[in-house]
Amino acid sequence: MTAIAMCACTEQANDRVSQPENDFNYVVDQFADLQILRYQVPGFESLSLQQKRLLYHLSQAGLMGRDILFDQNCRYNLAIRRTLEAIYMKYPGDRDHAEFQALETYLKRVWFSNGIHHHYGEDKFIPGFTPDFFISCIRFLSASDLPLKPGQTTDQFLMEIAPVMFNPAILSKKTVQSGNVDLIRASANNYYEEGLTQKEVEEFYNRIKDPDDDTPVSYGLNSRLAKENGQIVEQVWKVGGLYTQAIEPIVAELQQAAQYAENDTQRAVIEKLIEYYQTGDLKTFDDYSILWVGDVDSEVDFVNGFIETYGDPLGMKASWESTVNFINKEATKRTKLISDHAQWFEDHSPVDDRFKKKEVKGVTAKVITVATIGGDCYPATPIGINLPNSNWIRRDFGSKSVTIENITEAYDQASLGNGFNKEFVWSDTEREWIRTYGFITDNLHTDLHECLGHGSGIILPGVDPDGLKAYSSTLEEARADLFGLYYIADPKLLELELVPDKDAYKAEYYKFMMNGLITQLVRIEPGKDVEEAHMRNRQLIAKWVFEKGAPEQVVELKQKEGKTYVVIHDYEKLRELFGQLLAEVQRIKSEGDLAAGSKLVEEYAVKIDPVLHAEVLERYARLNLAPYKGFVNPVMKEVANKKGEVVDIVLDYTEGYAEQMLRYSTDYSFLPAYN
Ligand code: ZN
């Protein structure tokens, strides 16, 4: 039932210290478990005016849909955001008061998560201020400041909205991915109308899906499912359909952008996307995806639409997102070298020959510089993307894969000397490897993961590509990560001069194991399981190789002065184990072996040792760092001459976090509070 969720990997290395420091101010804000950074857009100035104007209009289009994601994440998100913003703007009391400060933090979190649920952990976060304070704030406002439903009084509004914010039992989790419950009813997001059951949804889609179709559309991708007059119907997100108020301005900006396209191919891509937004036809979306994959010559590129399906427990409905970018030509030499050898990597991988691609097709990989991120890529953003997601389009037309290096660069710079490695890395030897090779091998791992990992292997004929159900995202990420881990230690990389030294991979191996076994736990609250697919994948891999290598002590968890560290004794053997697990995960995917796949995930990826967890949280707390990071965009401005003609586009890096969010809520907010 699910489209294979491809990757928008959000791994954020916590401490990479390999780049020379520069004086750009990367850190913007910090609150709760979040840190806000800004990124630079090197090379923007030297683009042509036409390219800049193209980027400008694509960026505008990339901001117009912000409200859509809020509404997709939960049906109360827009009403709550607007209420909080009204209080934040008009509050007449003491803004240093603890209750107001807590409200400010809560609003900043709502902005960050595009709603009231944690962007990564999925749980609803509860305000740090009291319901009484909230009520007193509402009393300050006039009815016209509040997103009231027709005929609703302020009291009725409070009765409805306050429990959604304060009662942990109501709409408690955005997306419930597993467990013995009705996943649709248990999830708080807004992809299915309240009251629909998982059984009804599955029956609806099983009825319209044709199992013999070799080139199926991505069923359900661009609609909410609802019941109208007793009939289940798709409310399609398109011009004239659901979210039309936001989609119309997206289309208007895309029409502007089309005028500045670099070439006919790119213009055709933009025009096809407009046609898709106008018709909502998923066949047109496939046509668009095929055109988009084929556009490899344009320097400017973008994603705008309903793309990733991580937020739907059934993996069908896509959240709205956008990235706008241009190529980093120098760094792309690296990914080109990798993709030029894609067949070599496929042929030499440790998986069974039956599961290999005989002919690797159309792997294009590049390093890009983002200029604007929007929707589900904002403020938390991926560092690598591989699209399209449709299996048959990947099979027949290939995919485009990117590494976003101005984002990884910002992470790297912002973490300089923050004490993380000193606390968690075993010894100076490993720290030295990380310092010397960390930035290079991190980027290389992302390249290999995106460009080769996701694109490798085949699904055997007759196997349902959606057969791994709720486990598919975790296993798919594991497959891509393992491909990268296996090859980052390969002599081929030295031969291609992609790594400076035969030991460089050890930096990545050490960091991966430390992260998977220990340090990624800093993102999880005590008592909770690992939920997010990328995190599950990393724990799955790290715990599996740890256990399988235990008889020979390949990797050890060692105590020193009451603290736990990862110590790797045998790097070569560790690589073999990564290879073995890659072979098994590929087999599971190729054969659609749900039993083995679910066993792997449940056994290794989900549960946490509470004693180790407590220790790690305590050590991390003392560093006063934030485990999750996101970004503000630079402000893109048109510069006009006296005649009003646009003569340049410039970037301004001075906007703050709250400032940007409030501006977006003013300038790019088109939807009603309830949709
Ligand atoms: Zn991935």
Side-chain angles (χ1 to χ4, degrees):
M1 176 125 309
T2 72
I4 295 275
M6 278 309 154
C7 180
C9 286
T10 48
E11 171 50 3
Q12 306 164 359
N14 279 295
D15 190 21
R16 293 189 277 209
V17 271
S18 50
Q19 297 268 291
E21 208 164 345
N22 63 44
D23 55 10
F24 186 75
N25 189 9
Y26 287 93
V27 179
V28 180
D29 201 352
Q30 186 166 332
F31 48 89
D33 56 355
L34 306 167
Q35 188 179 44
I36 309 297
L37 308 176
R38 58 167 61 87
Y39 59 89
Q40 284 185 292
V41 189
F44 183 83
E45 291 74 21
S46 29
L47 297 170
S48 71
L49 179 59
Q50 183 185 343
Q51 287 173 319
K52 288 181 189 171
R53 297 193 76 177
L54 173 61
L55 284 165
Y56 176 82
H57 289 292
L58 291 174
S59 293
Q60 292 292 314
L63 298 174
M64 296 290 178
R66 176 169 174 256
D67 281 356
I68 296 176
L69 181 68
F70 273 85
D71 193 68
Q72 287 180 316
N73 282 341
C74 179
R75 64 187 182 279
Y76 287 105
N77 280 340
L78 284 170
I80 290 173
R81 189 191 84 198
R82 286 173 185 167
T83 304
L84 294 166
E85 286 171 348
I87 296 170
Y88 187 72
M89 301 293 286
K90 300 194 172 180
Y91 182 69
D94 175 10
R95 298 177 89 88
D96 292 327
H97 191 277
E99 294 253 44
F100 183 82
Q101 295 274 307
L103 183 133
E104 183 177 30
T105 299
Y106 180 70
L107 173 57
K108 285 180 173 182
R109 297 185 74 183
V110 169
W111 281 330
F112 191 96
S113 295
N114 295 286
I116 59 175
H117 299 88
H118 194 277
H119 74 292
Y120 216 77
E122 307 282 348
D123 290 317
K124 189 169 80 177
F125 42 85
I126 304 300
F129 50 94
T130 59
D132 283 348
F133 176 74
F134 181 64
I135 292 166
S136 74
C137 289
I138 296 295
R139 301 285 177 223
F140 284 125
L141 299 172
S142 55
S144 61
D145 293 325
L146 295 171
L148 302 179
K149 291 176 179 171
Q152 195 176 37
T153 65
T154 302
D155 282 343
Q156 288 166 338
F157 170 75
L158 268 171
M159 293 281 280
E160 186 174 3
I161 218 86
V164 175
M165 289 168 58
F166 290 96
N167 184 342
I170 294 175
L171 297 166
S172 55
K173 199 163 193 169
K174 184 168 67 179
T175 309
V176 177
Q177 299 277 12
S178 55
N180 201 10
V181 291
D182 185 314
L183 300 178
I184 297 297
R185 289 194 147 179
S187 298
N189 56 26
N190 194 15
Y191 293 118
Y192 304 92
E193 194 179 59
E194 209 184 343
L196 282 176
T197 66
Q198 186 176 349
K199 187 161 171 285
E200 284 176 308
V201 172
E202 288 177 340
E203 278 172 4
F204 176 85
Y205 282 106
N206 285 339
R207 240 190 339 267
I208 60 174
K209 273 169 96 168
D210 173 5
D212 297 326
D213 188 349
D214 198 30
T215 58
V217 298
S218 303
Y219 289 101
L221 189 76
N222 65 338
S223 63
R224 180 170 67 192
L225 211 61
K227 217 177 228 178
E228 290 174 4
N229 307 319
Q231 294 288 310
I232 297 182
V233 293
E234 287 188 326
Q235 299 172 331
V236 179
W237 306 321
K238 61 169 186 169
V239 172
L242 193 53
Y243 302 146
T244 188
Q245 303 92 332
I247 294 173
E248 286 168 47
I250 294 171
V251 166
E253 287 296 336
L254 290 174
Q255 282 164 339
Q256 294 273 330
Q259 298 176 37
Y260 303 104
E262 293 174 81
N263 50 58
D264 290 344
T265 309
Q266 188 177 52
R267 186 170 301 109
V269 171
I270 298 171
E271 284 169 353
K272 191 55 85 176
L273 180 60
I274 292 169
E275 185 190 332
Y276 163 61
Y277 272 133
Q278 287 169 334
T279 61
D281 182 357
L282 287 171
K283 195 79 206 135
T284 306
F285 179 64
D286 285 348
D287 294 342
Y288 153 77
S289 297
I290 292 163
L291 285 172
W292 180 81
V293 165
D295 179 14
V296 290
D297 295 327
S298 304
E299 293 186 7
V300 171
D301 206 350
F302 73 106
V303 174
N304 184 309
F306 305 103
I307 307 293
E308 303 289 353
T309 57
Y310 298 109
D312 174 7
L314 302 182
M316 286 185 297
K317 313 262 169 218
S319 61
W320 188 86
E321 69 171 44
S322 178
T323 60
V324 178
N325 64 77
F326 57 94
I327 191 167
N328 175 339
K329 286 183 195 161
E330 187 51 39
T332 293
K333 289 174 186 164
R334 181 183 81 216
T335 51
K336 176 150 192 330
L337 207 51
I338 291 171
S339 55
D340 284 350
H341 292 82
Q343 191 69 53
W344 186 93
F345 287 104
E346 183 77 5
D347 293 345
H348 291 79
S349 97
V351 313
D352 191 312
D353 281 344
R354 290 182 302 139
F355 310 141
K356 288 180 184 172
K357 272 194 175 134
K358 302 294 166 273
E359 193 193 342
V360 179
K361 230 182 256 187
V363 179
T364 60
K366 58 184 174 180
V367 179
I368 59 166
T369 303
V370 288
T372 300
I373 48 181
D376 219 357
C377 296
Y378 170 86
T381 191
I383 57 172
I385 304 177
N386 182 320
L387 290 171
N389 285 335
S390 163
N391 276 310
W392 72 265
I393 297 178
R394 300 171 72 81
R395 180 192 69 206
D396 295 350
F397 297 92
S399 65
K400 269 203 275 199
S401 148
V402 300
T403 305
I404 310 176
E405 205 152 294
N406 61 327
I407 295 292
T408 60
E409 197 253 349
Y411 282 134
D412 194 48
Q413 289 287 333
S415 70
L416 281 170
N418 66 9
F420 186 86
N421 282 355
K422 196 158 181 13
E423 176 62 38
F424 289 106
V425 173
W426 172 245
S427 79
D428 286 340
T429 309
E430 290 86 357
R431 270 188 290 271
E432 188 54 33
W433 288 336
I434 292 168
R435 187 156 35 240
T436 315
Y437 307 120
F439 187 71
I440 300 167
T441 54
D442 252 1
N443 280 323
L444 260 180
H445 187 206
T446 306
D447 297 340
L448 290 164
H449 172 120
E450 298 293 346
C451 152
L452 300 180
H454 280 306
S456 72
I458 55 162
I459 295 171
L460 292 183
V463 170
D464 178 1
D466 303 329
L468 296 174
K469 314 231 178 219
Y471 300 100
S472 67
S473 293
T474 298
L475 291 166
E476 178 57 23
E477 292 311 324
R479 198 174 72 88
D481 257 355
L482 285 161
F483 200 96
L485 287 166
Y486 180 78
Y487 275 120
I488 204 159
D490 202 282
K492 186 79 179 172
L493 292 201
L494 203 59
E495 182 196 315
L496 295 173
E497 295 178 3
L498 287 164
V499 287
D501 188 290
K502 69 171 176 45
D503 286 335
Y505 77 94
K506 292 179 180 173
E508 189 64 15
Y509 275 26
Y510 188 83
K511 280 195 342 183
F512 189 93
M513 292 303 292
M514 177 180 78
N515 193 24
L517 290 174
I518 295 184
T519 51
Q520 74 167 1
L521 299 179
V522 304
R523 293 176 169 192
I524 295 173
E525 288 172 41
K528 299 250 161 79
D529 290 338
V530 184
E531 297 282 353
E532 198 276 337
H534 294 84
M535 287 181 73
R536 282 190 168 185
N537 134 49
R538 289 191 289 267
Q539 177 167 308
L540 191 169
I541 294 173
K543 278 202 163 170
W544 191 92
V545 295
F546 177 78
E547 186 189 291
K548 301 297 167 190
E552 298 164 81
Q553 277 232 335
V554 177
V555 181
E556 189 186 357
L557 281 175
K558 214 165 175 167
Q559 302 288 319
K560 187 167 65 182
E561 292 158 14
K563 296 174 177 181
T564 311
Y565 297 86
V566 167
V567 180
I568 299 177
H569 295 294
D570 189 340
Y571 280 86
E572 283 172 32
K573 184 71 197 174
L574 182 57
R575 183 185 184 218
E576 270 175 47
L577 291 167
F578 286 141
Q580 282 172 27
L581 184 57
L582 173 58
E584 172 61 3
V585 173
Q586 182 62 56
R587 183 197 67 74
I588 288 169
K589 170 150 180 165
S590 294
E591 296 180 346
D593 188 345
L594 176 62
S598 62
K599 192 157 177 286
L600 258 188
V601 174
E602 296 293 352
E603 230 167 83
Y604 295 96
V606 181
K607 293 293 168 202
I608 299 170
D609 169 3
V611 178
L612 177 64
H613 193 191
E615 177 206 313
V616 172
L617 288 176
E618 198 264 321
R619 288 164 69 187
Y620 187 74
R622 272 189 272 116
L623 297 173
N624 196 25
L625 302 174
Y628 299 98
K629 292 170 179 64
F631 292 86
V632 292
N633 283 311
V635 186
M636 215 179 260
K637 290 178 186 163
E638 290 182 321
V639 180
N641 64 13
K642 280 183 193 147
K643 286 184 264 174
E645 300 158 342
V646 174
V647 290
D648 199 6
I649 308 281
V650 292
L651 299 179
D652 179 334
Y653 295 102
T654 58
E655 193 168 40
Y657 176 66
E659 218 181 328
Q660 179 156 98
M661 289 296 181
L662 287 169
R663 183 170 65 86
Y664 284 3
S665 293
T666 305
D667 294 352
Y668 303 100
S669 188
F670 304 102
L671 295 185
Y674 302 95
N675 293 274

